[in-house]
Amino acid sequence: MSFVEYGDTIKDGDTAIVFLGHESMFPVKVQHGTVTQTKYGVIRHSTDLIGKKYGSKVTCSKGGWVFILHPTPELWTMNLPHRTQILYSTDISIITMMLELKPGSIVCESGTGSGSLSHALIRTVAPTGHLYTVEFHQQRAEKAREEFREHGVEHLVTVTNQDVCKNGFGVSNIADAVFLDIPSPWEAIGHAKSALKAEGGRICSFSPCIEQVQRTCLAMEEYGFTEINTLEILLRVYNIRTISLQIPDLGKAAEESSSTVFDSSNPSNRGSPCANLQQGTVQFKSGVPLREMVGHTGYLTFATKS
């Protein structure tokens, strides 16, 4: 099993996603002789998972059923164990696009954190690219190495446990892009410039506070970066609903006009929005935003090495 080389069959040792619904799913490590409890009953790995195809519908012991999905970076972002605050797909998508990443790209990242962005970067640069990721916290760095090995992508990533602000990324003049998600990114801009290729390399810094952005932009200017710009991504979801609105009273002339245009006795007109004119309302489909939406996550600052 690999997050970048997809297989059809569930094998012993794989990481799989148990899908109970769009708002309910979780990862499980498939192991012979192990069972997993769900609200629909028990899943027995030996008989219910191993040898089955990904995407299969599995019946649990209580008669309910779940789907078993192959892990992807997007599914892992939604289900990973949180060691730190993570980046979600909304920000990750714009980061990979604005950094101009593609298969074969070399990327430097700090810090690794829970590995949400790391998995997406690895999938983007595979099969010939490489990710150099730096994590200051020793236990988080060790856990990241373990996860990359379990997910079959260890050959595409190098995890280093050090302070990027003091020691840099450990590489020079090879990176196509650098990503920073650290408390004081302005202290690492010089090391980022050293890691980037001779010219044209891209850098992105993620910061939750505008004061961090201001100091980072000043440091980028000092080190000669150009095309500096900052943006914020906000996700607003709409639901499609049937809306009923009362028809305004436009007077007798309007009533005569509507009766001329619309004939309710005609069978072909039944069921149309105008069929509700006699009740004084009209129904139509409309996009309605949710009462609550995801607010500010962080500012993304991009720049280019001149």
Side-chain angles (χ1 to χ4, degrees):
M1 189 277 304
S2 171
F3 272 51
V4 297
E5 298 172 0
Y6 298 103
D8 292 330
T9 307
I10 304 171
K11 299 181 178 62
D12 188 13
D14 283 3
T15 298
I17 304 297
V18 180
F19 181 90
L20 292 83
H22 288 289
E23 303 297 329
S24 180
M25 63 185 89
F26 60 89
V28 62
K29 185 172 182 178
V30 180
Q31 293 179 312
H32 186 78
T34 304
V35 298
T36 297
Q37 294 283 350
T38 74
K39 63 181 181 181
Y40 300 126
V42 172
I43 301 174
R44 295 175 175 82
H45 293 200
S46 300
T47 57
D48 297 333
L49 298 184
I50 296 176
K52 299 289 183 64
K53 286 191 174 184
Y54 280 106
S56 297
K57 184 178 180 180
V58 174
T59 302
C60 305
S61 60
K62 292 182 180 179
W65 47 267
V66 298
F67 288 105
I68 307 299
L69 307 180
H70 195 291
T72 64
E74 291 78 15
L75 289 175
W76 186 245
T77 290
M78 298 172 64
N79 296 281
L80 59 78
H82 286 231
R83 300 183 288 272
T84 60
Q85 290 289 337
I86 69 170
L87 288 175
Y88 290 92
S89 297
T90 306
D91 288 317
I92 292 173
S93 60
I94 196 72
I95 290 169
T96 54
M97 183 190 75
M98 294 292 286
L99 289 182
E100 302 173 2
L101 301 182
K102 60 185 182 300
S105 295
I106 306 297
V107 187
C108 292
E109 175 197 25
S110 182
T112 312
S114 301
S116 173
L117 176 65
S118 304
H119 283 81
L121 294 177
I122 291 170
R123 195 262 308 272
T124 303
V125 305
T128 56
H130 201 83
L131 171 66
Y132 294 89
T133 183
V134 178
E135 174 55 54
F136 175 79
H137 194 274
Q138 182 179 357
Q139 284 75 22
R140 288 201 292 263
E142 291 174 354
K143 186 61 178 177
R145 289 194 192 98
E146 179 184 341
E147 285 181 350
F148 293 143
R149 183 169 56 254
E150 291 179 351
H151 298 165
V153 296
E154 70 276 8
H155 60 292
L156 297 169
V157 57
T158 300
V159 182
T160 306
N161 173 219
Q162 65 186 27
D163 185 351
V164 70
C165 297
K166 294 180 179 179
N167 306 114
F169 293 94
V171 296
S172 299
N173 302 320
I174 64 169
D176 298 288
V178 170
F179 177 79
L180 300 174
D181 183 7
I182 54 178
S184 52
W186 56 88
E187 296 180 1
I189 298 300
H191 293 297
K193 183 177 181 180
S194 299
L196 287 168
K197 58 187 181 182
E199 61 177 313
R202 295 279 287 166
I203 183 173
C204 174
S205 174
F206 177 90
S207 298
C209 301
I210 196 63
E211 291 81 7
Q212 294 170 300
V213 174
Q214 292 169 336
R215 295 190 65 175
T216 302
C217 289
L218 291 174
M220 288 178 174
E221 288 182 344
E222 180 182 348
Y223 280 95
F225 283 90
T226 60
E227 300 178 346
I228 302 172
N229 66 88
T230 299
L231 51 87
E232 178 185 27
I233 308 299
L234 298 177
L235 178 64
R236 189 173 189 183
V237 179
Y238 282 78
N239 283 340
I240 305 302
R241 298 178 181 175
T242 300
I243 304 296
S244 296
L245 290 181
Q246 193 170 17
I247 299 174
D249 183 4
L250 302 178
K252 186 174 182 180
E255 292 178 2
E256 293 175 352
S257 176
S258 63
S259 64
T260 302
V261 175
F262 177 77
D263 182 7
S264 59
S265 62
N266 188 341
S268 64
N269 289 330
R270 293 172 186 171
S272 68
C274 294
N276 293 313
L277 287 176
Q278 292 180 347
Q279 287 75 38
T281 61
V282 62
Q283 292 184 338
F284 60 93
K285 297 291 185 180
S286 177
V288 180
L290 301 180
R291 293 179 180 270
E292 297 180 357
M293 63 174 283
V294 177
H296 171 74
T297 56
Y299 299 103
L300 294 169
T301 300
F302 296 91
T304 303
K305 183 178 179 180
S306 60

